[in-house]
Amino acid sequence: MIGQIGFERYGSTARRRAFTLVELLVVIAIIGVLVALLLPAVQAAREAARRLSCTNNLLQLIIAVQNYEMAQTTFPIGTVNASGPILHTAQGYHHNWITATLPYWEQYNAARAVDYSVGVYHKNNAPVRSLSFEGLNCPSAYHNFAARSNYVGMHHHTSAPIDTWNSGVFVLNKANRVLDIRDGLSQTLFLSEKQIDNNDPYAEIGRAHV
């Protein structure tokens, strides 16, 4: 009798511990709602981290520009070419502020590999142009192409070809000094982000257009 009672109690306990189909569906629904609520927050956190990384890239580049100015007493030339304006084609000399500042953001090997006796599109510079620099790619842009940059040097206050008459800091064939920045360093935009057109074959680091 005692054993039978114990068996019945054990059986009833086992039955109480089991989940019904309705209870299981309710739990699944609750988990689904929680996941739906958490996903946007996770995505927002990831995007915030990417934006922070992007901002840090800009910071490192402007520090490189400042270090270049301290060493050379001028800011790097925006783009070097025999004549202007710089057209939207992969032809010309086109060494620019990015290649000039490579040693100042610790890209020493790439800087040593640049052949300044020929243009950036020449086969001698193909090894450097095949590199993908994380410091030039914004994580929010969802791409990682070689020889392209999400950051540009500002050469004019409006959209215009790069030329000697531009009003920005990084212009054609001219190395501006601190005294040439008439509005003051704190009032002047030096670098900016740019969304790259993935279908643009000429959006390369050899260019410094906006």
Side-chain angles (χ1 to χ4, degrees):
M1 178 65 69
I2 296 177
Q4 184 177 357
I5 294 174
F7 177 78
E8 289 178 354
R9 289 180 177 176
Y10 175 80
S12 63
T13 303
R15 284 195 296 272
R16 285 198 300 272
R17 289 179 179 178
F19 285 101
T20 65
L21 179 59
V22 174
E23 290 173 333
L24 183 60
L25 292 176
V26 169
V27 170
I28 293 175
I30 293 174
I31 294 174
V33 171
L34 291 176
V35 170
L37 292 174
L38 288 175
L39 276 179
V42 172
Q43 292 297 331
R46 289 178 177 176
E47 179 59 23
R50 288 191 290 263
R51 295 303 305 164
L52 182 61
S53 177
C54 198
T55 302
N56 183 65
N57 287 344
L58 268 176
L59 176 62
Q60 296 304 314
L61 288 174
I62 195 59
I63 289 175
V65 169
Q66 290 177 330
N67 289 338
Y68 181 98
E69 190 276 331
M70 292 178 64
Q72 307 295 332
T73 69
T74 66
F75 293 106
I77 298 174
T79 305
V80 180
N81 202 57
S83 61
I86 303 299
L87 302 177
H88 200 54
T89 56
Q91 296 178 351
Y93 188 70
H94 291 185
H95 286 277
N96 60 32
W97 67 274
I98 292 181
T99 54
T101 57
L102 283 174
Y104 298 93
W105 43 288
E106 300 183 348
Q107 298 296 331
Y108 306 111
N109 292 332
R112 285 191 288 266
V114 174
D115 186 353
Y116 287 97
S117 67
V118 294
V120 295
Y121 309 110
H122 193 275
K123 63 180 181 180
N124 292 0
N125 287 314
V128 179
R129 293 179 57 241
S130 66
L131 298 176
S132 178
F133 300 102
E134 290 187 5
L136 296 178
N137 293 319
C138 180
S140 295
Y142 301 105
H143 72 75
N144 189 23
F145 294 117
R148 296 189 180 189
S149 172
N150 280 117
Y151 311 104
V152 293
M154 303 303 295
H155 67 273
H156 201 52
H157 61 277
T158 60
S159 180
I162 302 174
D163 213 331
T164 55
W165 52 264
N166 296 151
S167 62
V169 178
F170 302 99
V171 300
L172 178 66
N173 296 338
K174 180 183 178 182
N176 283 300
R177 302 170 301 167
V178 172
L179 294 178
D180 296 323
I181 312 300
R182 293 175 295 179
D183 293 332
L185 300 182
S186 63
Q187 304 297 321
T188 301
L189 183 61
F190 282 74
L191 306 179
S192 178
E193 286 185 54
K194 176 189 176 181
Q195 180 62 43
I196 293 178
D197 182 0
N198 294 341
N199 298 318
D200 181 4
Y202 303 127
E204 304 178 346
I205 65 171
R207 304 296 300 280
H209 59 279
V210 175

